[in-house]
Amino acid sequence: MSKRENFGTKIGAVLAAAGSAVGLGNIWRFPIETGKNGGAAFILVYIACIILLGLPLMMSEFLIGRNTQANTARAYQKLAPGTSWKWVGRLGVFTAFFIMSYYGVIAGWTIEYAVLAIGNQFAGKTPAEFAQVFTDFSSSTWLPLLWMVVFVLMTHFVIVKGVTKGIERWSKVLMPMLFIIIMILVGCSVTLPNASEGVSFLLKPEWSKVDGSVVLSAMGQAFFSLSLGMGCLCTYASYFDKNTSLGKTAVQVCVIDTIIALMAGFIIFPSAFSVGIRPEESGPALLFITLPNVFQQAFAGAPWIAYIFSVMFYLLVIVAALTSTISLHEVVTSYMAEEFHMPRKKAAAWETGGIIFFGIFCSLSFGVLSGITVGGENIFGIFDWVAAKICLPVGGMFISLFAGWYLDKKLFRDEITNYGESRAPYVKILIFILRYVAPVAILAILLNEIGVLSLLN
Ligand code: PHE
């Protein structure tokens, strides 16, 4: 078998992992959750969740991947041969495949909106027209399919180039680009007239709004946003070299992810408040109905700024989604290449074919297949529910149990300290969290998300 590739630089490793973390979750969910759940109070709860839950889990995934230098399914097999722990890795591969199948559909929509923005199609539209444009587009058959396929193929072409020349090289281009775009957009948004209302709405802590379910949704958001629980970070860490500090890298990824999520808030709320709109919904409705309208109105006095702002915004969303789909694709590609002894290109082609196949059903579930529902959810909704609401927390819970209880403590410490190169006085606390705190907290997220907790109230 050919030698396994590694990321060539530390910054490449950080940017790739941060690219996985920064995605649609940062842009369409975090700002609204913050706005709805107590502004700065929510942000503080969220940061506490990242430190208490996100960091220990991320470090666990990192150490499992880096120690085994294998795809996520093989990693658990290597560390726990002959046990059922291998199913934790396999669940990750399954989850990545599922998430990719529906994430690719929305990612495709962002290309359509970038094209509309470039063609200046938003100019002069009323809010009702924006809603109509979106419904017409998302329920149509061919165009959403085309863009989904284009997006998956873009991901495919990065993946087939390999770890250094594909994932790392593109992360080094896309992440700085994302950062520059987001800074420009924040700059434009916060200098709008009345923008300060949006800023203070985001920053005013309202502790009265923070209750148990808010804490749980902050935890769930932290989890999804950091790409935890499904082997993405474990797979990427299998390309880290021996000198990469796992703790430092994890802190950097968490900081970048949180800063980008906050900045997305500073784009959305100041511009929306400046024209008296209070964005309430998250997800597609925010991205494809509310925001194009907000941008047009906010810069009504200078249509060319509205134009550039909209084009840059959809470019930002494409870039954020692309770095996430690359990481999802890699989980499955590396698994297939290594477990079925296939060349990387062939493994990637199978994965791409599979995603497109399931993606077709997810895409059509907004149109011709909208009649197929389970419990009121269309096919897309079912994929999202199974993958993000069930598989991610279940995966995360088992990863924390594995790292906390099963893994040899010496191996744990050695990996975290790079075999004695650095100090890590916090290892005991980490293990305590992984043993007792994280599994219980994640179980609560799971029960909350599937609605069991609300039944008890
Ligand atoms: N973290 C990504 C986001 O915020 C989503 C994601 C989840 C990506 C799991 C990969 C794995 O959108």
Side-chain angles (χ1 to χ4, degrees):
M1 220 201 303
S2 58
K3 198 180 157 293
R4 234 169 159 269
E5 275 189 278
N6 266 355
F7 290 128
T9 57
K10 286 204 176 77
I11 180 84
V14 173
L15 292 179
S20 171
V22 174
L24 295 174
N26 300 57
I27 299 172
W28 85 21
R29 213 169 134 210
F30 178 82
I32 300 291
E33 291 276 308
T34 305
K36 245 184 1 206
N37 295 324
F42 179 83
I43 294 174
L44 292 176
V45 173
Y46 179 78
I47 291 175
C49 293
I50 295 226
I51 296 172
L52 267 177
L53 196 70
L55 263 178
L57 259 167
M58 190 179 287
M59 285 166 82
S60 308
E61 291 206 32
F62 277 174
L63 80 89
I64 292 167
R66 209 259 306 260
N67 180 267
T68 53
Q69 302 276 305
N71 68 78
T72 186
R74 173 70 62 89
Y76 290 85
Q77 225 155 341
K78 270 187 161 175
L79 289 170
T83 65
S84 303
W85 285 109
K86 60 176 173 285
W87 287 102
V88 178
R90 290 181 182 165
L91 175 69
V93 176
F94 169 85
T95 312
F97 181 76
F98 251 61
I99 296 186
M100 183 72 195
S101 301
Y102 71 87
Y103 204 88
V105 173
I106 305 288
W109 291 357
T110 62
I111 306 185
E112 166 73 6
Y113 271 68
V115 170
L116 290 178
I118 291 169
N120 203 18
Q121 297 292 312
F122 298 147
K125 289 223 162 27
T126 61
E129 283 168 339
F130 278 111
Q132 194 59 43
V133 168
F134 177 63
T135 316
D136 289 347
F137 164 69
S138 58
S139 62
S140 66
T141 299
W142 295 108
L143 208 49
L145 280 182
L146 170 77
W147 292 132
M148 182 268 287
V149 172
V150 169
F151 205 96
V152 176
L153 288 181
M154 278 170 23
T155 311
H156 177 88
F157 288 118
V158 174
I159 290 293
V160 289
K161 291 268 180 228
V163 174
T164 330
K165 295 213 176 96
I167 302 174
E168 182 173 1
R169 182 176 287 172
W170 278 100
S171 301
K172 280 179 169 170
V173 173
L174 293 172
M175 291 306 286
M177 191 166 136
L178 180 133
F179 212 71
I180 293 171
I181 299 179
I182 210 164
M183 301 253 279
I184 297 175
L185 294 179
V186 170
C188 289
S189 186
V190 297
T191 47
L192 282 165
N194 295 330
S196 56
E197 273 179 44
V199 173
S200 58
F201 176 71
L202 213 50
L203 292 183
K204 202 175 54 198
E206 276 187 73
W207 288 102
S208 60
K209 288 211 177 142
V210 177
D211 58 14
S213 81
V214 168
V215 175
L216 286 176
S217 58
M219 281 204 266
Q221 170 66 13
F223 216 75
F224 182 79
S225 189
L226 294 175
S227 307
L228 291 170
M230 40 75 63
C232 259
L233 298 175
C234 174
T235 305
Y236 271 8
S238 73
Y239 307 128
F240 288 179
D241 66 18
K242 284 199 200 62
N243 304 319
T244 305
S245 159
L246 301 184
K248 226 195 218 161
T249 309
V251 171
Q252 285 163 341
V253 172
C254 290
V255 169
I256 295 174
D257 189 64
T258 309
I259 288 181
I260 303 275
L262 284 171
M263 288 175 93
F266 283 102
I267 297 174
I268 294 170
F269 283 96
S271 56
F273 274 54
S274 80
V275 288
I277 292 176
R278 214 191 155 99
E280 244 134 35
E281 64 284 269
S282 56
L286 172 77
L287 218 49
F288 302 115
I289 300 175
T290 314
L291 288 182
N293 171 42
V294 162
F295 300 155
Q296 286 311 306
Q297 292 194 29
F299 300 102
W304 65 275
I305 299 187
Y307 176 83
I308 296 177
F309 196 95
S310 306
V311 172
M312 284 176 84
F313 180 78
Y314 287 102
L315 196 62
L316 168 81
V317 187
I318 291 177
V319 170
L322 183 60
T323 48
S324 293
T325 53
I326 292 171
S327 71
L328 289 162
H329 202 300
E330 180 61 18
V331 173
V332 187
T333 300
S334 64
Y335 167 75
M336 302 222 329
E338 289 171 13
E339 298 309 301
F340 301 107
H341 307 291
M342 293 181 186
R344 187 178 171 85
K345 277 202 172 121
K346 193 167 163 199
W350 273 105
E351 157 71 346
T352 297
I355 298 164
I356 292 179
F357 178 77
F358 284 100
I360 290 174
F361 292 96
C362 291
S363 181
L364 294 181
S365 69
F366 292 95
V368 287
L369 297 183
S370 60
I372 305 177
T373 57
V374 176
E377 294 283 355
N378 63 6
I379 300 174
F380 179 97
I382 298 164
F383 269 60
D384 180 34
W385 197 81
V386 171
K389 299 252 159 39
I390 307 289
C391 295
L392 283 187
V394 169
M397 191 165 74
F398 282 110
I399 292 169
S400 75
L401 291 172
F402 180 76
W405 292 98
Y406 184 87
L407 259 191
D408 176 35
K409 297 297 148 294
K410 179 166 170 349
L411 183 146
F412 192 105
R413 182 178 289 276
D414 283 347
E415 279 296 331
I416 298 290
T417 61
N418 282 352
Y419 292 80
E421 293 271 302
S422 57
R423 280 167 26 82
Y426 49 80
V427 165
K428 278 214 171 81
I429 303 176
L430 268 188
I431 294 181
F432 177 82
I433 292 178
L434 291 165
R435 283 191 165 184
Y436 304 103
V437 184
V440 177
I442 299 172
L443 185 67
I445 301 177
L446 181 67
L447 296 179
N448 183 50
E449 292 198 336
I450 58 179
V452 174
L453 289 190
S454 57
L455 293 180
L456 298 178
N457 281 332

